[in-house]
Amino acid sequence: QVQLVESGGGLVQPGGSLRLSCAASGSIFGINAMGWYRQAPGKQRELVATTTSGRTTNYADSVKGRFTISRDNANNTVYLQMNNLKPEDTAVYSCNVRQYRFGSLYNYWGQGTQVTVSS
């Protein structure tokens, strides 16, 4: 099992910044990709950003140039730096971990942290 602890969500004004953190613990062997997804009420969960153990990254088009994902492999922690936040960024942000272990693929999710962008 992998446990994910998220932090950093909150209320910010449009144009503001916020940094999310997600620390993985437990049976962390084989963790490969880590990333962030978000879901607004009544909407489907969507990809925000992901990063692999090789530091490759990908972003949703809506956040490119504003968000930056990074990873601290030593501490099994992934971060999401969010700049120039917009009201449409308001959502519950969830950390995701992809684990390859014993020849199988597993996905783990954090509890989610609320990000609200409002004036």
Side-chain angles (χ1 to χ4, degrees):
Q1 295 181 346
V2 173
Q3 294 80 44
L4 304 177
V5 179
E6 300 159 318
S7 62
L11 173 65
V12 296
Q13 294 184 334
S17 297
L18 206 61
R19 192 189 196 199
L20 306 182
S21 299
C22 174
S25 63
S27 301
I28 59 175
F29 175 81
I31 289 179
N32 180 244
M34 303 181 73
W36 293 93
Y37 292 71
R38 66 186 182 187
Q39 186 172 23
K43 303 292 181 64
Q44 293 184 350
R45 179 181 291 153
E46 65 174 344
L47 169 72
V48 177
T50 61
T51 182
T52 69
S53 59
R55 268 72 172 181
T56 58
T57 60
N58 71 91
Y59 299 88
D61 289 340
S62 60
V63 306
K64 286 182 178 178
R66 299 188 298 118
F67 291 10
T68 302
I69 189 170
S70 61
R71 181 177 178 179
D72 182 348
N73 287 326
N75 295 318
N76 297 294
T77 303
V78 63
Y79 306 92
L80 185 68
Q81 179 66 46
M82 303 183 292
N83 298 325
N84 192 25
L85 284 161
K86 303 176 180 180
E88 50 263 44
D89 295 319
T90 297
V92 174
Y93 285 70
S94 299
C95 178
N96 170 259
V97 166
R98 179 183 296 174
Q99 180 186 51
Y100 290 95
R101 192 175 185 183
F102 306 125
S104 299
L105 172 65
Y106 302 89
N107 278 312
Y108 298 92
W109 296 90
Q111 79 283 359
T113 183
Q114 177 70 48
V115 172
T116 302
V117 185
S118 176
S119 60

